[in-house]
Amino acid sequence: MTNPAIKVFITALAILLMAGPAPARVLKIATLAPEGAFEVKEIRKAGQEIATKTNGRLKLKIYPGGVMGNDQAVVRKIRFNQLQGGMVAASSLASLNRDGQVYSLPFIFRSFAELDYVRPRMDPFIIKGYERAGFKIFGLAEGGFARVLSKTPVTSVKDLQHRKVWAPANDASAITALQAYGIQPIPLPVADVRAGLQTSLIDTVAIPPAYAIILQWHTQVQYITDLPLLYTYGMLALDNKAFNKLTPGDRQVVSSVITETFKRIDRHNRQLNVDARKALEDNGITFITPKAEDIAIWQEKTTKVTASLLKQGKLSQEALDTITSLLAEFRNKGTR
Amino acid sequence: MARLLPLLVLALLLTTGCASPISRQTSSLAAAVKDSNDLATVKAGLPAYLIMLDALVADAPDNAQLLRVSADLNGSYGAVFAQDPDQAKLLADKSLALAHRACCAHNKNLCNLAGLEFPRFQAAIGGISGEEEIPYIFSLGAAWLAWIEANRDDLRALAQLSQVESIMKRIVAMDEQFQGGSAHLYLGSLAIMLPPALGGRPQEAKAHFERAIAIGGDMNLRAKVVYADKYGRMMFDRALHDRLLTEVLAADPKVKGFTLSNVLAQREARELLNSSPDYF
C-alpha cells in the first residue's frame, strides 16, 4: 500500500484532475466600425469559427464602435498589450510602414481594372512592410476610391484651390499632398466633418462614396467629381508577439479563418461602392467628369506630390518602381 | 450599419388609434391587441387583421387615416414578427408605400416626398406646421426607418436616414409629447448610430433618451430598452445597460394600452441582458 510508485501516480492523477482544461486565450480586437457593420459581423463570425476549430482554446473579443478609441489609440494599446489587434485603416499605420500608402498616391490608379491587376502582385510586398513593423496581417480589405464631393462643381485643380477643402486632422501626409496641389486644406476630425459641411466651414471633401453615405455626408453635397482620387483600404493588424505565442496549429486556424474573412470584406466593399454610386444618383447628386486637359493637369501636379514624398522619405523608391512597373505592364497589354 | 430600430417600431403597434373612419369593431380589435400579453396569439392573429385592413383600404383608397393605420400595422408586424428577411422587406415596402399614400391623401403638399432631393425634402418637412399633420409624418418617419432597417445592407436605403431624422426633429419641435415622446427615441437612436469618432453624438443621444423616459414615465418600458441597446452598447457603458434592463424586467408590464409593447420590451431586455457578459 505504501508503494512509492502508486503514491506518485495518485499525486499526478490528482494534479491532473485539479488542473482541468487550460483557460482559453483571448485575442482582444478593436475597431471603429459599429456593431452591426458588415466588418463587425464578419469578424464576430470568424471568432466563433476560431473558437470551434481550436476547441475553445482561443477566442476573439471584439470591441466595436471605437470604444477603445480611434485607430491611433488602438495601435498604441496594441503596443502596450492592452489589445492584441485592430481592424484599422491603412492610413493609421502610415508611420509604421511608409510603403503602406503607395496605393493611396493620388491618381496612381485610373480604374478598378488597374487596381485588380496590381493588388495580387503587390499586396504581399505591402503586407511584409507591416510585418517588419510587428504586425501580422491577413490580407487587405478595400475601402474604395476616394472621390471629391462638393457643394459646387469641381473639375480642375484650380477649382479646388478656391474651395474650403477638408483634410483629416493629424494626417500630415494628406495635408502635405493637398498643399502640393496649391490647396490650403482645413483639418478637422472625421467626427466634425458633417457639422463642418452643414455650417459651410468646409465645402469639399474626398471620401469613398460608400462612406459618404454611411457617415451621412452625402446630404450636404451636390456634386461628385468622377475621378478615382486615391485608393483606401484597411486590415486586421494583429500583434506579432501575441500571434507567435499561439501553438502552430492555432496560428494556422487564425490565419486561414481571418484570411477568408478579409477576402469576403474586400469583395463586399467593392460592391458597396458600386451600389453607393447608384444611391448618390438617386439622391440627386450630379456626377462631373473632368475634361482631358484638366485631368492632365491633375496628373502633372501629382508627379510633384510623389517626388516630394520620396524626398521626405515617406515613400520608398522600391515601392514606387514596383507599382509603376506593374501599371506599365498592365497598360502595355492594352487590357485597360 | 448597426442593427437599427426594431424596438422603436413597436410603438406603432401600440399607438395605432382607430377613430371615426374605421369601424368600431376595428377600433376594439386594435385596443385588444394593445392590451394583450400573449405574444403568440397576437403573432398568429394579426395577419388576419392586416388582410382585413387591406380590404378596407381597397374600399376606401383615399382614406388618409385608414392608410396610415394600415401603414403602421404592416410596419410593426414586419419589424417584430416577420419570419425571415424577405417577409420583413415585403411588409416594410408595403408599409412605406401606404405611409406615403396616407400623407398624400391627408395633405397634397405631402405628395411626392419620396422623390425629393434632400434639401428640398428638408424644406418641405420644415414647412409643416399643423398639429393634424404630426400623426401622418410620424407614421411616415417610422415606416421609413423600418424600411431602412429591413434593407440595411442596401446603401440606397441607408442614404435616406437623414430624411427620417428631419421628420423626427420636426415632430419634436412641434410636439415632443406626441406618442409618449417617441420621436425623442428615434432621434436618440439616430444620434448614436455612429461611434463618436465617426460623428456619433453621445450627449445629444443621451438627452433624447432621458427626455423620452421622462415623458413616457413608467408606463412604457421600451424607452429604457432602446436606451440600453443603442447608447449603453455603443458607449460600452455596462453599468447603465444592465441597470436599465434590470429595471425593465422588474416592472409590471400590464399597463392599459402598453401591455403588448411592454411584454415585447421585456423579451428584448432579457435577450440583451443574457448577451451582456459576451458583449462587454
Side-chain angles (χ1 to χ4, degrees):
Chain A
M1 290 297 285
T2 54
N3 186 332
I6 292 176
K7 272 187 179 173
V8 169
F9 174 75
I10 291 171
T11 308
L13 189 64
I15 289 169
L16 274 175
L17 289 173
M18 280 190 299
R25 188 183 285 275
V26 177
L27 297 176
K28 297 178 182 173
I29 293 166
T31 175
L32 266 180
E35 191 64 44
F38 184 80
E39 295 91 328
V40 176
K41 283 193 277 191
E42 284 292 319
I43 197 69
R44 283 199 187 283
K45 268 198 284 186
Q48 286 162 2
E49 196 178 339
I50 287 167
T52 305
K53 287 185 170 169
T54 62
N55 296 318
R57 284 189 305 277
L58 183 60
K59 292 181 175 170
L60 302 188
K61 173 88 178 168
I62 310 300
Y63 295 90
V67 293
M68 288 291 171
N70 61 17
D71 281 0
Q72 284 79 14
V74 167
V75 172
R76 268 200 310 278
K77 285 176 179 170
I78 294 171
R79 293 302 196 199
F80 290 121
N81 200 31
Q82 292 166 338
L83 292 170
Q84 285 71 51
M87 292 205 294
V88 295
S91 55
S92 312
L93 297 174
S95 62
L96 301 171
N97 175 19
R98 59 179 178 167
D99 290 336
Q101 292 287 285
V102 68
Y103 289 165
S104 303
L105 289 172
F107 301 106
I108 191 92
F109 297 110
R110 295 175 191 166
S111 65
F112 280 121
E114 290 191 352
L115 179 76
D116 292 342
Y117 184 79
V118 169
R119 274 204 44 196
R121 294 164 176 81
M122 197 164 176
D123 278 7
F125 170 86
I126 289 176
I127 286 171
K128 266 185 199 155
Y130 292 115
E131 290 184 342
R132 279 195 296 272
F135 291 102
K136 177 75 185 162
I137 308 293
F138 306 91
L140 310 180
E142 182 159 307
F145 280 115
R147 293 170 200 268
V148 173
L149 282 85
S150 55
K151 286 179 183 279
T152 49
V154 170
T155 57
S156 64
V157 176
K158 203 175 168 187
D159 285 338
L160 267 189
Q161 288 167 346
H162 295 94
R163 298 288 190 277
K164 293 182 274 187
V165 179
W166 167 67
N170 303 321
D171 188 341
S173 299
I175 293 168
T176 308
L178 285 164
Q179 285 169 339
Y181 288 101
I183 298 158
Q184 286 306 321
I186 298 172
L188 285 177
V190 172
D192 295 340
V193 170
R194 189 179 177 216
L197 285 166
Q198 283 168 335
T199 57
S200 293
L201 173 65
I202 50 175
D203 56 22
T204 304
V205 297
I207 187 169
Y211 294 105
I213 293 171
I214 290 166
L215 301 174
Q216 298 290 301
W217 297 358
H218 68 292
T219 57
Q220 305 301 321
V221 295
Q222 284 77 48
Y223 297 92
I224 179 165
T225 306
D226 205 6
L227 269 184
L229 177 59
L230 55 86
Y231 185 66
T232 64
Y233 66 92
M235 71 204 87
L236 170 61
L238 197 63
D239 181 32
N240 246 337
K241 294 193 292 295
F243 184 71
N244 288 331
K245 280 181 189 163
L246 306 178
T247 64
D250 289 356
R251 284 204 293 266
Q252 176 56 37
V253 169
V254 170
S255 286
S256 67
V257 171
I258 300 186
T259 300
E260 285 308 309
T261 298
F262 267 71
K263 281 182 188 165
R264 285 196 296 276
I265 296 174
D266 195 38
R267 285 194 298 270
H268 174 265
N269 288 356
R270 169 68 58 89
Q271 188 56 44
L272 206 61
N273 277 297
V274 172
D275 294 345
R277 196 183 168 90
K278 180 78 179 78
L280 292 177
E281 282 170 355
D282 288 352
N283 275 262
I285 308 278
T286 305
F287 281 69
I288 296 167
T289 307
K291 293 178 197 151
E293 54 264 38
D294 285 329
I295 294 174
I297 296 171
W298 285 106
Q299 284 165 346
E300 181 201 321
K301 290 198 179 284
T302 300
T303 312
K304 290 179 189 165
V305 173
T306 309
S308 156
L309 289 172
L310 279 174
K311 197 175 165 188
Q312 293 171 45
K314 290 179 179 168
L315 177 69
S316 76
Q317 190 65 52
E318 184 189 4
L320 183 62
D321 290 347
T322 306
I323 198 165
T324 307
S325 111
L326 283 168
L327 285 167
E329 202 173 277
F330 178 79
R331 287 167 189 166
N332 287 340
K333 282 182 179 173
T335 48
R336 47 181 294 208
Chain B
M1 184 177 70
R3 182 173 60 93
L4 261 178
L5 309 165
L7 253 190
L8 285 176
V9 290
L10 296 183
L12 294 173
L13 199 60
L14 278 301
T15 50
T16 301
C18 296
S20 51
I22 304 170
S23 73
R24 187 173 299 159
Q25 283 158 326
T26 310
S27 299
S28 303
L29 195 53
V33 168
K34 287 189 231 176
D35 289 334
S36 171
N37 64 355
D38 180 358
L39 287 181
T41 301
V42 171
K43 183 182 178 185
L46 261 187
Y49 185 31
L50 295 181
I51 292 169
M52 187 181 81
L53 277 172
D54 285 347
L56 291 170
V57 166
D59 286 342
D62 299 320
N63 183 320
Q65 192 172 6
L66 192 54
L67 287 163
R68 183 172 66 77
V69 169
S70 188
D72 289 351
L73 280 173
N74 277 284
S76 300
Y77 186 82
V80 180
F81 295 122
Q83 302 284 344
D84 54 55
D86 288 340
Q87 193 193 14
K89 279 184 190 179
L90 197 72
L91 288 163
D93 280 352
K94 185 180 169 191
S95 168
L96 183 58
L98 285 162
H100 275 297
R101 281 176 62 191
C103 283
C104 186
H106 176 69
N107 178 345
K108 64 177 176 12
N109 292 329
L110 299 180
C111 298
N112 304 318
L113 283 175
L116 290 182
E117 291 162 17
F118 185 67
R120 291 178 60 204
F121 178 88
Q122 216 173 8
I125 295 297
I128 292 170
S129 57
E131 270 188 24
E132 65 280 11
E133 323 290 357
I134 293 177
Y136 291 92
I137 60 170
F138 182 81
S139 289
L140 178 63
W144 215 324
L145 193 55
W147 178 81
I148 293 169
E149 165 64 14
N151 294 279
R152 66 177 81 91
D153 295 328
D154 185 346
L155 278 179
R156 280 173 289 183
L158 192 58
Q160 298 174 37
L161 262 184
S162 292
Q163 277 82 336
V164 179
E165 191 178 28
S166 278
I167 289 172
M168 295 301 168
K169 276 186 176 168
R170 187 70 199 129
I171 290 167
V172 163
M174 291 168 72
D175 177 10
E176 66 162 354
Q177 308 273 337
F178 181 75
Q179 294 207 347
S182 288
H184 277 295
L185 273 189
Y186 280 88
L187 289 174
S189 301
L190 291 170
I192 198 65
M193 201 188 69
L194 290 170
L198 296 180
R201 305 178 300 279
Q203 290 309 318
E204 186 184 322
K206 188 176 184 173
H208 280 301
F209 287 128
E210 289 183 349
R211 190 73 194 123
I213 290 170
I215 293 170
D218 293 331
M219 292 191 307
N220 186 354
L221 299 178
R222 72 194 166 79
K224 286 182 178 175
V225 178
V226 178
Y227 188 11
D229 185 16
K230 304 303 165 192
Y231 182 91
R233 291 201 165 209
M234 181 63 91
M235 300 308 292
F236 231 62
D237 187 342
R238 185 175 183 180
L240 175 77
H241 177 269
D242 289 2
R243 174 177 66 75
L244 289 166
L245 298 173
T246 306
E247 286 171 8
V248 168
L249 291 175
D252 182 358
K254 285 190 180 173
V255 177
K256 189 161 177 58
F258 287 91
T259 304
L260 181 66
S261 171
N262 288 345
V263 169
L264 284 162
Q266 286 188 324
R267 184 179 75 174
E268 181 88 357
R270 208 167 287 117
E271 285 167 7
L272 288 168
L273 211 47
N274 286 343
S275 62
S276 182
D278 281 339
Y279 184 85
F280 291 101

